[in-house]
Amino acid sequence: MNTKNLKKRIPVFIVAFCSVFNLQAAFQPQFSTAGFYPLVGTGRKAYSMNVGWKFMKADVTNAEISNFDDSNWERVSLPHGLEYLPLDASGCINYQGVAWYRKHFTPDNVLKNKKLFLHFEAIMGKCKVWLNGTLAAEHYGGYLPVIADVTNLLKWNADNVIAVETDNSNDPLYPPGKAQEMLDFTYFGGIYRDCWLIAHNKVYVTNANYEHEVAGGGVFVSFDKVTEKSAIVNLKVHIRNEMSVKLTSNIVCELKQVDGKVVNKATQKLILLNGQVAYSTQSLEVKTPILWSPESPYLYYLDIYIKNSKGVVVDGFRQRIGIRSIEFKQSEGLWINGKPYSKIMGTNRHQDFAVVGNALPNSMQWRDAKKLRDAGMKVIRTHYVIDPAFMDACDELGLFALVETPGWQFWNNEPVFGERVCSDIKNMIRIHRNHASLFFWEPVLNETSYPKSFAKNASEICKQEYPYPYSEASCDDGADGAEYFKLLLRPTKNLDPTKTYFTREWGDNTDDWNAQNSDSRAARAWGETPMLVQAQHYANDYSKIYSQSAQVVGACFWHSFDHQRGYHPDPFYGGMMDAFRQPKTSYYMFMAQRDTVKRNLLAETGPMVYIANEMTPFSATDVTVYSNCDEVHLTVFKGGKTFIYKV
């Protein structure tokens, strides 16, 4: 066995070892419901509406009418993606067009006199939602919530019908806008995320994506003066009174540790007239906070209560927050929690999974994040507003998320297109602004030639919607309007000393965008040698990216998973995992770059060794070993003798 090249094939990071308790076996992921976590005794509940839908993959006349006969329709549950697809579903073989969903239900009388919202986490394409024959909501775009106030549309002690018309066919009037047969990923279709019925009293904390308030609506959490000694947690809570009487309310905000201990508490009195809305603004100082970072993703509970003058809770819920600061300091690089941070490395992610397309349940969203964190990734570029469950997982696992508005190589000069892009920017900030895992915004359209005026507008929207510290928006280096941004993507050779840079894509290498021949693309089924070639290619590029100036604070590898595409008949095979999330050799190459110290209790960090040789007659005589340890011993038994190779 030739081990001549063994040593140089082992990426090594020398770090002291430490021991920690492994809590993974007892851990259960937590998922928010329509942006909050329910609290018992607050009068607010989230009811899952995922089961019991009728489905027809066709354009059907009068399907919104309550007494329409859907008895012969297929029965499905959400998340639902219109169809099951073959593994090689690229080239737009997926269904594109109108599809209908209908759900029959009888609401419990306990919901009477409640405020009721129907909350779809996302519906792909353009859609209309009816309840009992009345149009309740209409939406353009497949990545943001569709929310309808259905309080006055329900019938009691009777059958109610939700009807949803979805249409994922090409439409250049809303983002992404590009025809799917020219797109480098796949829209798929359907009601592919969760659906909730939210019930609460008529004095309540609002929903930011429904209210459309600039830098407002719902709960807005921001931070200031974050250090290891203290931090300021600023709270802005939007409250609406729909009672028929004036109400004196106390807005109580409690910040708790995971063990339930109250760290700090604030109360503000508000007097609300019927139909009036108001903001409660409060600040909590936290002494010696446990700061959130990829190595220690600690989350506090923020419990919010509205109490009447008698102290009775009339609304409330929980959010999870991580106290942290993020600063991009040009030549000084990235600073997290007031200290310089090493170059942060991660990956891009498209959301589709083999067979089911985009219709992943929450458990699979969490599993995706877990596998990426285990591989040593610390930041994920999302390409569109991602499933709330994935963002929840990023909070828990210590993964930063670079949140991006949907779009790729497409601009439409029709005013309505720009208006809808700007609406998406506002709503992506509103839905993700309180997450600890939020890294920065990418409000401009990916690889797109857009007007300079749009870039300026996008920058201003980000500043208006998040007018607090530790938030930054980004733009392509060299793009029209780049001067409006302090953080630039795709750094060019000459770096502007007044800017900070982040490499949003690296690693893919192809000779021709039609032939797709590449040493970075290897399907798992191609076997051992192509996967080794891919891993070596990524290892070479990784070292170049990591050695860049500190002014380039990090980079995202292209791409985490094999995925389907619109414009090409072959799936993208450059992932470190296949479409089923089974690892390729390159997965272990990335794992070998991670820290040897076990800091993050929920991630498989720490020492690792992987022998990338299947020991078949066709395997290479050289044995490639991936490890992050400072020394590796390879023991070989041959001809009754033992050989130990140490590097």
Side-chain angles (χ1 to χ4, degrees):
M1 180 175 290
N2 185 347
T3 61
K4 179 175 63 175
N5 295 322
L6 178 62
K7 186 172 182 179
K8 70 178 183 180
R9 292 190 182 191
I10 304 176
V12 175
F13 286 73
I14 303 174
V15 184
F17 285 78
C18 71
S19 62
V20 295
F21 294 104
N22 187 345
L23 302 179
Q24 294 182 65
F27 179 78
Q28 293 294 323
Q30 295 185 48
F31 301 114
S32 58
T33 58
F36 66 90
Y37 296 84
L39 275 180
V40 175
T42 62
R44 176 183 289 248
K45 289 188 178 181
Y47 298 91
S48 173
M49 300 292 279
N50 282 349
V51 300
W53 289 81
K54 295 293 198 73
F55 169 68
M56 176 61 71
K57 190 167 62 176
D59 193 357
V60 182
T61 303
N62 296 327
E64 75 279 9
I65 299 173
S66 294
N67 61 1
F68 178 87
D69 183 7
D70 56 21
S71 59
N72 293 324
W73 286 20
E74 180 183 357
R75 292 183 180 273
V76 301
S77 293
L78 309 182
H80 184 260
L82 300 186
E83 58 198 333
Y84 294 128
L85 294 159
L87 188 57
D88 53 348
S90 276
C92 279
I93 72 167
N94 59 292
Y95 176 80
Q96 295 172 45
V98 175
W100 280 87
Y101 295 83
R102 287 170 57 88
K103 179 179 176 65
H104 296 256
F105 69 103
T106 302
D108 195 305
N109 284 331
V110 74
L111 298 178
K112 281 186 176 181
N113 300 317
K114 293 282 190 178
K115 188 70 179 179
L116 301 165
F117 287 90
L118 195 59
H119 185 112
F120 295 89
E121 290 180 355
I123 302 171
M124 184 51 73
K126 51 193 174 187
C127 69
K128 293 181 180 179
V129 178
W130 289 267
L131 180 58
N132 298 326
T134 299
L135 183 64
E138 188 172 4
H139 187 78
Y140 293 86
Y143 305 99
L144 285 158
V146 182
I147 307 170
D149 182 348
V150 297
T151 308
N152 298 321
L153 299 180
L154 285 176
K155 296 184 298 184
W156 302 101
N157 302 313
D159 181 49
N160 287 253
V161 180
I162 305 169
V164 182
E165 179 187 20
T166 73
D167 185 356
N168 68 336
S169 57
N170 292 338
D171 191 331
L173 296 181
Y174 66 90
K178 191 170 187 176
Q180 295 171 69
E181 59 269 20
M182 300 298 292
L183 197 65
D184 197 33
F185 61 99
T186 305
Y187 291 167
F188 298 110
I191 310 178
Y192 73 101
R193 292 181 182 170
D194 295 329
C195 178
W196 307 95
L197 180 65
I198 308 302
H200 47 66
N201 293 317
K202 292 186 178 181
V203 178
Y204 59 96
V205 179
T206 63
N207 179 285
N209 289 102
Y210 182 81
E211 293 293 330
H212 302 297
E213 292 265 342
V214 175
V219 176
F220 199 150
V221 182
S222 62
F223 307 99
D224 199 7
K225 300 177 182 178
V226 174
T227 69
E228 292 179 343
K229 294 182 178 180
S230 67
I232 303 298
V233 180
N234 294 314
L235 308 174
K236 185 178 179 182
V237 184
H238 190 235
I239 299 145
R240 185 180 291 275
N241 177 17
E242 295 190 15
M243 299 284 287
S244 59
V245 297
K246 180 176 73 172
L247 188 73
T248 300
S249 298
N250 289 315
I251 316 306
V252 181
C253 300
E254 295 181 347
L255 189 66
K256 299 176 180 177
Q257 296 179 169
V258 291
D259 60 5
K261 179 183 177 181
V262 177
V263 174
N264 205 340
K265 177 179 177 179
T267 301
Q268 183 179 14
K269 180 180 288 187
L270 290 178
I271 299 176
L272 297 173
L273 301 177
N274 175 37
Q276 186 178 0
V277 295
Y279 279 102
S280 169
T281 56
Q282 306 182 49
S283 292
L284 302 173
E285 184 178 5
V286 182
K287 298 292 187 181
T288 60
I290 306 172
L291 300 181
W292 188 99
S293 71
E295 291 71 32
S296 179
Y298 188 87
L299 296 172
Y300 288 90
Y301 293 137
L302 176 63
D303 292 350
I304 299 172
Y305 303 92
I306 302 177
K307 297 183 179 181
N308 64 19
S309 57
K310 297 180 179 179
V312 176
V313 175
V314 295
D315 189 33
F317 59 80
R318 167 173 287 177
Q319 291 211 322
R320 298 189 306 174
I321 65 170
I323 300 174
R324 85 289 184 272
S325 67
I326 303 170
E327 298 170 279
F328 300 95
K329 293 193 171 187
Q330 296 81 46
S331 60
E332 294 184 51
L334 173 65
W335 285 51
I336 295 177
N337 298 329
K339 296 180 179 180
Y341 195 86
S342 62
K343 199 177 299 293
I344 191 164
M345 303 295 280
T347 185
N348 287 261
R349 176 192 185 249
H350 278 306
Q351 62 188 2
D352 62 282
F353 194 95
V355 181
V356 298
N358 291 339
L360 277 67
N362 291 346
S363 58
M364 292 175 71
Q365 300 282 352
W366 197 90
R367 180 174 177 265
D368 270 8
K370 178 71 164 63
K371 280 181 169 285
L372 294 173
R373 189 66 185 91
D374 288 351
M377 303 294 106
K378 294 183 180 180
V379 57
I380 307 298
R381 181 169 176 249
T382 65
H383 290 275
Y384 26 72
V385 177
I386 52 177
D387 192 295
F390 188 85
M391 205 71 174
D392 293 337
C394 288
D395 290 345
E396 287 183 330
L397 294 166
L399 270 170
F400 277 118
L402 190 174
V403 179
E404 183 179 6
T405 191
W408 184 67
Q409 298 182 353
F410 180 84
W411 178 262
N412 189 336
N413 285 321
E414 289 288 334
V416 68
F417 180 81
E419 291 167 6
R420 286 171 176 164
V421 174
C422 291
S423 176
D424 281 355
I425 297 169
K426 295 172 185 177
N427 281 299
M428 79 173 184
I429 293 174
R430 292 164 186 165
I431 195 173
H432 284 328
R433 64 194 181 190
N434 294 337
H435 282 281
S437 53
L438 174 67
F439 195 41
F440 61 84
W441 313 109
E442 191 176 337
V444 294
L445 300 171
N446 188 20
E447 299 179 8
T448 298
S449 178
Y450 40 73
K452 185 175 181 178
S453 58
F454 164 71
K456 181 180 181 181
N457 194 19
S459 174
E460 290 176 350
I461 288 172
C462 290
K463 294 172 184 176
Q464 292 165 2
E465 288 288 341
Y466 203 119
Y468 305 111
Y470 315 134
S471 175
E472 197 64 68
S474 62
C475 179
D476 283 0
D477 189 10
D480 284 344
E483 63 266 32
Y484 302 118
F485 297 82
K486 295 180 181 179
L487 179 62
L488 299 181
L489 307 174
R490 290 170 47 171
T492 52
K493 185 176 181 180
N494 298 316
L495 303 182
D496 183 338
T498 67
K499 308 284 188 180
T500 308
Y501 293 83
F502 185 91
T503 302
R504 67 182 184 188
E505 295 176 14
W506 68 270
D508 194 23
N509 174 40
T510 131
D511 61 346
D512 181 279
W513 290 106
N514 293 312
Q516 306 281 300
N517 296 312
S518 169
D519 59 357
S520 65
R521 300 189 182 185
R524 243 176 133 259
W526 296 354
E528 179 180 1
T529 300
M531 287 195 291
L532 276 169
V533 171
Q534 181 197 55
Q536 190 61 52
H537 165 79
Y538 289 150
N540 293 338
D541 279 6
Y542 187 100
S543 62
K544 296 175 185 176
I545 293 289
Y546 201 84
S547 63
Q548 289 178 327
S549 160
Q551 195 173 348
V552 183
V553 298
C556 281
F557 154 72
W558 186 270
H559 187 280
S560 50
F561 312 127
D562 292 353
H563 60 84
Q564 313 299 339
R565 300 179 290 169
Y567 88 96
H568 201 279
D570 292 333
F572 173 78
Y573 286 129
M576 68 171 103
M577 287 176 270
D578 67 12
F580 288 100
R581 289 13 177 196
Q582 297 303 300
K584 302 178 190 177
T585 304
S586 56
Y587 181 86
Y588 301 100
M589 187 286 297
F590 282 102
M591 191 179 285
Q593 316 308 315
R594 72 189 189 190
D595 199 340
T596 56
V597 179
K598 176 73 174 179
R599 294 188 178 97
N600 187 321
L601 299 182
L602 294 182
E604 291 286 353
T605 53
M608 60 79 60
V609 176
Y610 179 75
I611 301 174
N613 193 297
E614 296 179 2
M615 306 297 177
T616 72
F618 308 102
S619 298
T621 54
D622 285 354
V623 174
T624 302
V625 177
Y626 293 105
S627 179
N628 60 353
C629 299
D630 58 336
E631 188 173 284
V632 174
H633 295 186
L634 180 64
T635 303
V636 179
F637 301 95
K638 186 176 181 181
K641 296 182 179 180
T642 301
F643 301 88
I644 299 178
Y645 302 89
K646 181 172 70 172
V647 292

